[in-house]
């Protein structure tokens, strides 16, 4: 095993150098990067919004409005087919998605029935696909009325089409802003995720994206006003809309010309009044229609309608040839420019509601980068120093592997073009702490083999060989949690999962192959006669603690903690963040030396937004404002944030906002619960497959123990429980399993070696064999997490504190919960060994 073929050695060196090479672009300036040779990699890690600032929006197509508008459109089409094309008298009534047509002349029933069949065009054909589903089902009532109804399949197909069209419209609008590398992608069946790095004017972005920008032109009713129509009743084919100038207008329902005929729109200024205007130009067909329309209605009023509001309704003085015109209104230069952008990009096919919003200012992003760098540097130095103190020369090998490991993680993230978030940095720092675990496992096994009387070569080879299975089992369980976190998480939490998963894979390469290669080279050069693996010894060799003698005390202690955690959870509850209960969170920083909490509370309290919490957040200048979920849904929540920001404008800088509507918060709570349950089930299956069912039950019992105690910790400390907390719990699941699997692996090994030993003695011996490794790994992980808690910033403090707590309870449970539970089972692995021995004895006789 200490003999490396040239090919194997070359591959290890090539992979290590590749990691360094692909990481280098992240360590130099853009100017230096541009001057590098073309063959050098230049791909950099993309910083998440929380590290460089920007806006995150989750949009949802308003399905109810989409269906309502489609029913109205279908009603207009049916009326045109029956009355205009076939002169069939009728009355159409609507009830939800059902349209009922009553004919004035029953003799025209078959003619009308055949006429409306022209509306039955397969939806995919309309969209541009092949074949398709029928959007409309036709029928007739017993009393001779025709019916049309939108089908569920048709609604879903149209919704899917609308989402696809909306993505393109949103992309065109954002591209007009000149931003770099926006992320616009579909999420689920009716949602669109929009992330725009570096664009911190979230309000303008929301206005630009969420405005439908449906431009239509309607004739104003020539004889009566909206006020008169409300008294006399609406004439057939008319409707009332509010006017931007105040009041209301009575418009003809038919669209004289639509915004789809526009080919260009630009902001400008009126030459006479000097006011901001928006000019527009139609395509050839639109120009002809516009000229005919204005020529035939000289002296009549003509309304320009944008998203259900009359922008202007001038009187047509003469025919307007050329297909161009202008829109006047109460515009500023910026609003005129934004409207021109909207019209050029095209109208959204449906209204997009903002159901989740997260924005980070550039100053907070810079602070987060600095905090992450400091935490990573301090954590790395602490771990490196500890490994040197603990293992001397072997600590140097481990530290070289650790540094290469970090380079590999960063290199893989660069190649993938992955997004690095603040929780992602936490994942890397956690990797630093956990990466040494594999080295500790190997080194402690080498020491154990040497104490057993093996030679230097035999001890090293046996140490690597026997530690390998444990390393694989321990890391695969953590990987399971990371994978579940990735698929069920969202945003920054997925970033944490990616870095953690990559870190696990690179750790297995560096800690095993790279460390083995270094030790092999060292041995070939120096040929030591004695093997001194450690310098600092936290525990004496040959410990023989009687852990099982204290299992009753341990179970009683755990039972008290579990009951207390449940009691706190059901009586006091958790301090749920907006991820789970909805609402808004706004982090601001005072422009003065210190924030005035009482003044902010007074200002925001006057807004009538219900329960508002104002608290110091980190330094004396930083304040966190939380607003409860508002009545009126997601739109009302957005308006509440705007009111708060306006009330403190000037004295405070908004550094971060998060708005989670009730729709998303309920889903996140459900998804988080499913993630934890799925992780536990997946781990149960893996442990069962690799060991026996008894081990699986014991491991899951320890997991549940750790999860419940962590929830109790959140309840007693009052730390905010949010999505990051779910990530912390899943990481605790992985770490706890890591510890438990190491102990179980040694138990399984000793079951085969000491078949006559009492189970309590065997468990005591197995725990003592792995105790040094358990303590060393816990110390290194705690060192890395302590750096995160102290230097990582307020945003992830509860997240990292929870993981540090998880290391402690995970270490405790692997010794005092998971192992003692095995005493209650008749382990089949041991029984099978005994049966095999009996069969062998019988055969020899």
């Amino acid at each position: 095993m200490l003999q490396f073929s040239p090919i194997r050695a070359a591959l290890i060196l090539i992979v290590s150098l590749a990691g360094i090479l692909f990481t280098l672009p992240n360590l130099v300036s853009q100017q230096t990067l541009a001057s590098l040779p073309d063959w050098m990699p230049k791909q950099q890690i993309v910083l998440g919004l929380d590290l460089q600032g920007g806006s995150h929006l989750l949009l949802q197509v308003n399905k109810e409005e989409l269906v309502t508008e489609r029913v109205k459109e279908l009603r207009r089409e049916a009326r045109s087919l029956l009355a205009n094309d076939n002169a069939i008298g009728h009355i159409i009534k609507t009830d939800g998605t059902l349209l009922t047509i009553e004919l004035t002349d029953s003799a025209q029933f078959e003619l009308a029935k055949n006429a409306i069949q022209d509306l039955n065009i397969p939806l995919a054909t309309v969209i541009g696909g092949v074949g398709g589903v029928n959007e409309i089902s036709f029928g007739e009532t017993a009393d001779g009325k025709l019916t049309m109804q939108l089908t569920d399949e048709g609604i879903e197909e149209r919704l899917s089409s609308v989402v696809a069209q909306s993505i393109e419209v949103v992309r065109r609008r954002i591209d007009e802003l000149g931003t770099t590398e926006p992320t616009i992608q579909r999420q689920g069946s009716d949602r669109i995720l929009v992330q725009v790095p570096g664009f911190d004017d979230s309000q303008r972005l929301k206005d630009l994206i969420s405005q439908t920008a449906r431009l239509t032109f309607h004739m104003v009713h020539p004889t009566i006003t909206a006020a008169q129509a409300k008294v006399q009743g609406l004439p057939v084919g008319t409707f009332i809309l509010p006017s931007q100038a105040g009041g209301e207008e009575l418009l003809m329902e038919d669209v004289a010309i639509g915004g789809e005929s526009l080919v260009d729109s630009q902001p400008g200024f009126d030459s006479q009044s000097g006011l901001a205007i928006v000019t527009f130009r139609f395509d050839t067909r639109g120009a002809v229609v516009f000229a005919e329309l204005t020529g035939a209605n000289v002296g009549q009023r003509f309304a320009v309608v944008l998203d259900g509001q009359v922008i202007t309704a001038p009187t047509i003085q003469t025919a307007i040839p050329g297909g161009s015109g202008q829109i006047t209104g109460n515009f500023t230069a910026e609003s005129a420019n934004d409207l021109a952008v909207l019209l050029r990009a095209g109208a959204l096919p449906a209204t997009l509601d903002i159901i989740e919003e997260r924005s980070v200012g550039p100053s907070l992003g810079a602070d987060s980068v600095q905090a992450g760098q400091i935490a990573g540097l301090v954590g790395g130095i602490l771990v490196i120093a500890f490994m040197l103190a603990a293992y001397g020369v072997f600590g140097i090998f481990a530290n070289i592997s650790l540094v290469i490991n970090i380079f590999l993680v960063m290199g893989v993230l660069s190649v993938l073009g992955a997004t690095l978030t603040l929780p992602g940095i936490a994942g890397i720092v956690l990797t630093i702490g956990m990466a040494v675990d594999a080295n500790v496992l190997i080194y402690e096994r080498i020491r154990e083999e040497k104490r057993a009387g093996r030679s230097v070569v035999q001890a090293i080879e046996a140490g690597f060989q026997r530690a390998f299975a444990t390393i694989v089992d321990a890391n695969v369980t953590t990987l399971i949690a990371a994978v579940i976190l990735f698929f069920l998480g969202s945003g920054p939490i997925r970033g944490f999962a990616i870095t953690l998963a990559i870190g696990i894979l690179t750790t297995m390469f560096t800690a095993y192959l790279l460390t083995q290669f270094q030790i092999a080279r060292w041995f070939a050069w120096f040929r030591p006669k004695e093997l001194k693996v450690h310098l600092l010894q936290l525990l004496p060799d040959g410990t023989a603690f009687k852990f099982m003698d204290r299992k009753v005390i341990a179970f009683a202690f755990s039972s008290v903690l579990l009951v207390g955690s449940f009691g706190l959870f059901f009586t006091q509850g958790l301090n749920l963040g907006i991820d789970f209960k909805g609402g808004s969170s706004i982090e601001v920083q005072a422009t003065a030396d210190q924030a005035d909490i009482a003044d902010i509370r007074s200002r925001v309290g006057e807004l009538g937004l219900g329960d508002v919490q104002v608290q110091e957040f980190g330094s004396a200048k930083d304040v966190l404002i939380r607003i409860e979920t508002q009545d009126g849904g997601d739109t009302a929540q957005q308006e509440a944030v705007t009111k708060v920001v306006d009330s403190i404008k000037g004295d405070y800088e908004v550094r971060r906002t998060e708005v989670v509507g009730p729709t998303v918060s309920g889903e996140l709570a459900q998804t988080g619960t499913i993630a934890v349950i799925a992780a536990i089930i997946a781990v149960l299956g893996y442990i069962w497959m690799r060991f026996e069912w008894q081990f699986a039950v014991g491991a899951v019992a320890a997991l549940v123990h750790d999860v419940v105690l962590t929830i109790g910790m959140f309840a007693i400390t009052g730390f905010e429980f949010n999505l990051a907390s779910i990530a912390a719990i899943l990481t605790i699941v992985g770490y706890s399993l890591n510890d438990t699997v190491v102990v179980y692996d040694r138990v399984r090994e000793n079951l085969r070696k000491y078949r006559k030993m009492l189970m309590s003695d065997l468990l005591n011996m197995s725990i003592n064999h792995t105790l040094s490794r358990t303590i060393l790994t816990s110390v290194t992980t705690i060192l890395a997490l302590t750096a995160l808690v102290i230097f990582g910033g307020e945003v992830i403090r509860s997240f990292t504190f929870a993981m540090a707590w998880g290391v402690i309870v995970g270490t405790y449970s692997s010794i005092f919960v998971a192992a003692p539970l095995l005493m209650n089972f008749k382990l089949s692995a041991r029984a099978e060994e005994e049966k095999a021995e009996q069969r062998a004895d019988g055969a020899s006789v």
Side-chain angles (χ1 to χ4, degrees), residues 44-119:
Q44 292 182 310
I45 295 173
V46 179
L47 295 181
L49 300 184
D50 53 356
L51 294 179
Q52 65 169 316
S55 297
H56 161 110
L57 300 175
L58 184 61
L59 312 170
Q60 184 174 44
V61 173
N62 191 318
K63 183 176 179 180
E64 183 178 346
E65 182 183 289
L66 176 68
V67 172
T68 301
E69 289 299 317
R70 180 54 185 144
V71 169
K72 289 181 180 178
E73 182 182 349
L74 191 59
R75 183 169 176 268
R76 287 195 299 269
E77 290 173 353
R79 189 176 65 240
S80 178
L81 271 174
L82 295 173
N84 299 342
D85 296 348
N86 294 283
I88 300 175
H90 65 281
I91 298 174
I92 301 179
K93 296 180 180 179
T94 60
D95 181 15
T97 59
L98 178 67
L99 292 87
T100 304
I101 305 172
E102 183 179 354
L103 303 178
T104 56
D105 183 0
S106 59
Q108 294 181 304
F109 183 86
E110 289 299 325
L111 178 62
K113 181 178 178 180
N114 293 331
I116 61 175
Q117 289 293 328
D118 291 342
L119 298 172

Side-chain angles (χ1 to χ4, degrees), residues 251-562:
L251 308 181
M252 303 304 296
E253 192 177 62
D254 291 334
V255 177
I257 187 171
E260 68 276 0
S261 297
L262 287 177
V263 292
D264 190 26
S265 180
Q266 297 293 335
F269 293 92
D270 185 78
S271 57
Q272 297 180 357
S273 65
L275 297 176
I277 61 171
V278 178
T279 62
F280 60 86
R281 182 166 56 86
F282 289 117
D283 58 18
T284 303
R285 176 184 170 278
V288 171
V289 173
F290 191 56
E292 291 176 350
L293 184 68
T294 53
N297 293 279
V298 173
Q300 301 295 321
R301 294 176 65 216
F302 186 56
V304 180
V305 178
L306 180 67
D307 290 343
Q309 185 179 47
V310 177
I311 301 299
T312 182
T315 300
I316 301 173
Q317 303 296 335
T318 183
I320 304 176
S324 52
Q326 67 182 42
I327 303 172
T328 59
N330 188 23
F331 297 124
T332 63
E334 185 178 272
S335 63
N337 179 70
D338 286 349
L339 177 56
V341 167
L342 292 171
L343 297 181
R344 284 199 304 273
L348 288 169
T351 300
L352 297 179
D353 297 325
I354 300 173
I355 58 174
E356 182 183 13
E357 173 199 349
R358 303 178 193 270
S359 66
V360 178
S363 63
L364 180 59
D367 290 348
S368 297
V369 171
Q370 185 180 14
Q373 289 173 341
I374 293 174
L377 185 62
V378 172
I381 290 173
L382 288 175
V383 171
I384 287 173
F386 180 79
M387 290 300 290
L388 282 174
Y391 292 109
V393 173
F394 280 74
I396 295 175
F397 302 147
N399 288 334
I400 292 173
S401 296
L402 180 61
V403 172
I404 296 297
N405 189 8
I406 296 172
F407 275 116
L408 286 174
V409 172
M410 301 296 285
V412 172
L413 290 173
S414 299
V415 171
L416 296 176
T419 300
L420 181 63
T421 61
L422 193 57
I425 292 178
I428 293 175
V429 175
L430 182 63
T431 298
I432 292 173
M434 296 182 66
V436 298
D437 177 54
N439 287 121
V440 171
L441 275 169
I442 294 168
Y443 292 168
E444 292 301 310
R445 195 67 197 233
I446 291 174
R447 288 180 57 207
E448 190 177 330
E449 297 297 331
K450 189 69 178 68
R451 288 198 305 270
R454 293 181 181 269
S455 67
V456 172
V457 175
Q458 290 173 334
I460 293 174
E461 290 185 341
F464 275 97
Q465 185 176 5
R466 296 188 175 182
F468 181 72
T470 307
I471 292 171
V472 171
D473 285 333
N475 283 282
V476 167
T477 52
T478 308
L479 186 62
I480 289 172
V483 169
I484 290 174
L485 195 60
F486 176 79
F487 283 106
L488 295 182
S490 62
I493 305 306
R494 299 186 76 178
F496 170 77
I498 290 172
T499 54
L500 182 61
I502 293 173
I504 291 168
L505 297 176
T506 56
T507 292
M508 294 181 69
F509 168 80
T510 56
Y512 191 80
L513 291 178
L514 183 57
T515 301
Q516 188 183 65
F517 176 72
Q518 293 177 80
I519 293 176
R521 294 298 88 206
W522 168 78
F523 182 82
W525 291 336
F526 295 101
R527 295 286 177 180
K529 300 299 182 183
E530 291 297 326
L531 196 62
K532 189 173 183 180
V533 178
H534 69 278
L535 288 180
L536 173 67
Q537 193 164 349
L538 297 180
L539 292 173
D541 291 333
T543 57
F545 297 117
K546 301 293 185 181
F547 293 103
M548 295 305 106
D549 291 350
R550 292 161 179 80
K551 72 167 188 171
V552 175
I553 298 175
F555 283 166
F557 179 64
S558 290
S559 298
V560 170
L561 292 179
L562 289 171

Side-chain angles (χ1 to χ4, degrees), residues 820-839:
L821 282 173
L822 295 179
M823 292 186 64
N824 299 320
F825 303 121
K826 172 69 175 177
L827 292 177
S828 59
R830 190 171 188 182
E832 288 172 5
E833 292 285 345
E834 293 173 353
K835 290 178 182 178
E837 185 181 36
Q838 291 172 1
R839 285 195 297 268

Side-chain angles (χ1 to χ4, degrees), residues 558-571:
S558 290
S559 298
V560 170
L561 292 179
L562 289 171
V563 171
S565 296
F566 275 117
L568 285 170
F569 175 75
F570 287 110
T571 58

